[in-house]
Amino acid sequence: RTEPRVVRVHLRGNFLTPGDAVSINTPQILPPITSRSDDPDRLDLAHWLFSPINPLPARVTVNRIWQRYFGRGLVETTDDFGLQGEKPSHPELLDWLASELQSSQWQLKHIHRLIVTSATYRQSAATRRDLWERDPENRLLARQSRRRVEAEIVRDLALAASGLLDPRIGGASVKPAQPSKHAGLTYSNSAKWQTSAGGNRYRRGMYTFFQRTSPFPMLMTFDAPDSTSCTARRSNSNTPLQALTLWNDAIFFECAQQLARRIVDEVPRVLNETPLSDRIEHGFQLCLSRSPTAAEHSAIAKLFNQQHELCQQDPTAAKALLGSAPVSSDTTTEELAGWVLVARTLLNLDEFITKE
């Protein structure tokens, strides 16, 4: 425009009743904007946003990062830093993290590293009666918060544990497998869902194609926003449908099949003896990043022996559990099918999708 647009106050929010004209400026409560000419432009606004004397963008950014790790921001009202929002629980910490972000040239990895290597983040999520009575919402950060991972990460965890995850970064959206009749529920059958092939089928959840009228069903089940409005803070629920998805969705069963092959292949037989104990240990490390307790080890060993025996009694059913991939010479169909059922159990543990 050769002439700048005239912007007016809309009385009572109605654009049909314009009020006084307003000039280009920033809120008076924040530092003034410096203009390179008579009127500020977008470049001046960009410089103002990241100016060292403007504390707001850095505070908002580190607060949202903190919320991702602890479930609650240092300012609980993540989308409202105004007078009607909550005061920060740790104002000095918020300011220090914001100054660290600015002084590091806005390197987000620096802030992530500071948080995850801190003693606060590395605390146990176990509750104590005295803490519960004094600080039930854990505002004082005397323990870690226990919560389920975000919707996009649930599938990523299963893909990573099984070895199917395609780690490529960037690129176009992909269309993983979804229930065949789901796309038909859209308006005028507008969703033409052609499942991606090759590695694209196993890319991270953040690359999943998202259609507003037909959102990916697994993401909706695990509380992903529906993209119709901006969401600064997600809600977390715990529903039976989530458990059914982990147990029955085709991608999770495929991950169980591949995880079983990974356990068997990466812990091979020794002198024709099945290393059951070592394979159980390896399965726990892949899924939960820890060793099993004695009780857990005994329970998984008992489960494998029971399932192995059932598979030996019905070889046809055992073969159907494995899919189309070939069985390696180091194992048998029945043994591998038993490990598929064990892997399926490990992927369905509450601990598998819960940060503690």
Side-chain angles (χ1 to χ4, degrees), residues 155 158-159 162 164 250-260 347:
R155 177 173 164 273
L159 292 172
S162 65
L164 288 173
I251 185 59
F252 290 101
F253 192 78
E254 186 177 357
C255 288
Q257 293 172 327
Q258 186 61 29
L259 176 59
L347 294 178

Side-chain angles (χ1 to χ4, degrees), residues 164-178:
L164 288 173
L165 183 67
D166 188 324
R168 286 178 296 161
I169 296 176
S173 297
V174 296
K175 296 182 177 181
Q178 69 170 354

Side-chain angles (χ1 to χ4, degrees), residues 207-246:
Y207 296 114
T208 300
F209 179 81
F210 201 98
Q211 181 169 334
R212 182 177 57 83
T213 57
S214 176
F216 194 63
M218 197 221 78
L219 296 180
M220 294 296 98
T221 300
F222 287 94
D223 307 313
D226 61 7
S227 80
T228 58
S229 60
C230 178
T231 303
R233 185 178 183 183
R234 295 187 180 189
S235 60
N236 265 7
S237 66
N238 187 9
T239 66
L241 191 58
Q242 294 171 0
L244 289 171
T245 299
L246 290 175

Side-chain angles (χ1 to χ4, degrees), residues 310-332:
L310 289 173
C311 291
Q312 288 177 325
Q313 295 173 6
D314 192 347
T316 303
K319 186 176 181 180
L321 285 172
L322 304 182
S324 58
V327 179
S328 67
S329 59
D330 196 41
T331 186
T332 64

Side-chain angles (χ1 to χ4, degrees), residues 247-315:
W247 193 251
N248 295 317
D249 193 291
I251 185 59
F252 290 101
F253 192 78
E254 186 177 357
C255 288
Q257 293 172 327
Q258 186 61 29
L259 176 59
R261 288 184 166 85
R262 185 177 181 185
I263 292 173
V264 171
D265 292 342
E266 295 179 3
V267 186
R269 293 176 182 270
V270 179
L271 299 177
N272 293 325
E273 294 186 2
T274 302
L276 178 59
S277 180
D278 291 343
R279 285 177 175 175
I280 292 175
E281 168 78 20
H282 191 51
F284 264 75
Q285 290 291 347
L286 290 175
C287 294
L288 307 179
S289 300
R290 66 173 179 85
S291 299
T293 63
E296 290 169 337
H297 190 285
S298 176
I300 294 298
K302 181 179 179 181
L303 173 65
F304 171 76
N305 290 328
Q306 288 175 341
Q307 300 304 320
H308 188 201
E309 182 179 349
L310 289 173
C311 291
Q312 288 177 325
Q313 295 173 6
D314 192 347

Side-chain angles (χ1 to χ4, degrees), residues 61-136:
T61 301
V62 298
N63 190 63
R64 294 196 178 192
I65 294 174
W66 189 273
Q67 177 183 266
R68 293 287 298 274
Y69 285 115
F70 293 93
R72 176 198 300 272
L74 295 170
V75 177
E76 186 174 1
T77 52
T78 315
D79 55 350
D80 188 351
F81 271 57
L83 293 176
Q84 296 183 357
E86 292 284 336
K87 292 183 178 180
S89 58
H90 300 71
E92 295 86 356
L93 176 58
L94 179 66
D95 282 348
W96 179 74
L97 286 173
S99 65
E100 281 291 317
L101 180 60
Q102 289 181 328
S103 62
S104 66
Q105 301 299 313
W106 297 82
Q107 293 183 14
L108 296 179
K109 285 186 177 181
H110 174 64
I111 302 301
H112 286 290
R113 186 180 295 110
L114 278 176
I115 294 176
V116 300
T117 57
S118 67
T120 303
Y121 179 79
R122 291 181 290 167
Q123 293 180 113
S124 169
T127 59
R128 299 199 327 247
R129 182 175 295 276
D130 58 332
L131 292 178
W132 181 261
E133 293 174 352
R134 181 180 179 184
D135 183 26

